[in-house]
Amino acid sequence: MATFYAKGIQDALEAVTGVAAAPTGTLKLAFMATSYTADAEADQYWSDISASQASGTTSQTVASTAVNIDTSNNRVEIDFDDVTETPVTASTDKVVLYMDTGTPATSVLICCADISTTLSPVAGDLTLAVNAEGLAAINY
Amino acid sequence: MAIAIASTSTASANDSTSVTVTAPTSIATDDLLVIVATCGGNITHTSTGFTQAYTHYYNGPSAGQSGRITVLYKKAVLADESEANYTVTGDLSNRMGGVAMFRVTGFSPETDPVFDYAVGNVSIPDADVTVNDSVSISRPTQGASFIAATMYDNDSFTGEILYQNFQITSTDSNPTWTTLDVDDNFQTGDGSNYYGSFSMGYATSSDTSAISAYGFDYNVTSLDEAARGIYTLFTILTPANASGGNTLLTTTGTLFTATGATGGSGGNTLLTTTGTLFSQTGSGTSPTQWTNEAKPSTTWVNEQK
């Protein structure tokens, strides 16, 4: 199930309100196993779900990250470049965006997004062609 | 390009620590080389330059009925084009064994080429045994299926076991199998009269339906005692890329009604609240006016103490 994770939203609001500093690290994307179902509350850190990463894949650093205000759709969107991993043999139907602090137990989960179809590369390229609007958005 | 089994070779030895197999013919750089190694007992198979894809050990009811099957792979380099043979070594003395080697084209492995696999074992009495194990192995692309079938016996081996009717079950028809009989009787017990046999079946197919079962027949003639069958199925599929877009994930924030606001205009419901003034405590002093008795018209104020 696609979802924002509660912990990620909490950290974001704490950061903008000055309650706590924003977590720092490297923004990463993980292709997840088809058996994984996101739990918005129970899944907080990468260590909670790393066992459900699609076999044969590794987390990929995302590039050109942007957070854009879409005035036409009244929402704030998270966007970045397409992500490709190669060579890989895997099966995946969803991705998770998280902030890798270098320690899985403190790497906060941001959101889990569905891929439009199950991807099953065989010793080939695995690519997430990020939606033209981005990976995720929060309406306002 | 679809993968193909271009050439094969086999070898076996009795109570040996290593087995040397002749190189399959016409190896070219970037070919996929696959070795399937078997042995009695629990040993680790290695071969220089090869990486283990997976291994399966079955600990049988007696020492001689245990065995291991290991699948190794390598991406051929220029030196392999002139290589005469390859040696597979076990980390325990005198337990090998049989080896089958394949040269596969259409797959230049930068990663483990085995897409999926299944393993099993079965008791073989002095009668034919049909293996038909249920599995769930997808085939996103066309490719090749391999079944490695072995038998281990814990005493002087007499009789004969043939391996027949290799098959996979899917919504497509069973492909045409090629049988590679490696050896029907080799010693694996470091002098302890343990025996094994090893045969492989392989088939390429353009089918992409999931494999729901696989099997073959142990065709038995006059065994002197029960033996143990150990086997595995693995698939190597034609490489393919996969790309997909994400469904945009959106969520809407919730604004709670705030308290303490006053005023406002427009269509919103006016939210009002009443402030509370708490009772305050304090202290204070009042100046005392003094009068001079002798001059009653004179007054003064005592300065602050």
Side-chain angles (χ1 to χ4, degrees), chain B residues 82-100:
Chain B
S82 57
E83 196 68 62
N85 51 57
Y86 296 87
T87 297
V88 182
T89 303
D91 64 347
L92 284 179
S93 299
N94 307 330
R95 300 299 176 92
M96 292 182 68
V99 170

Side-chain angles (χ1 to χ4, degrees), chain B residues 36 55 92 114 131 150 169 187 191 212 219 227 232 237-238 245 248 255 259 261 267 276 280 284 289 299:
Chain B
V36 182
T55 185
L92 284 179
V114 173
V131 172
T150 67
T169 302
Q187 292 177 268
S212 58
N219 190 278
T232 183
L237 304 183
T238 299
L248 182 67
L255 289 176
T259 59
T276 300
Q280 304 295 312
Q289 190 174 65
T299 61

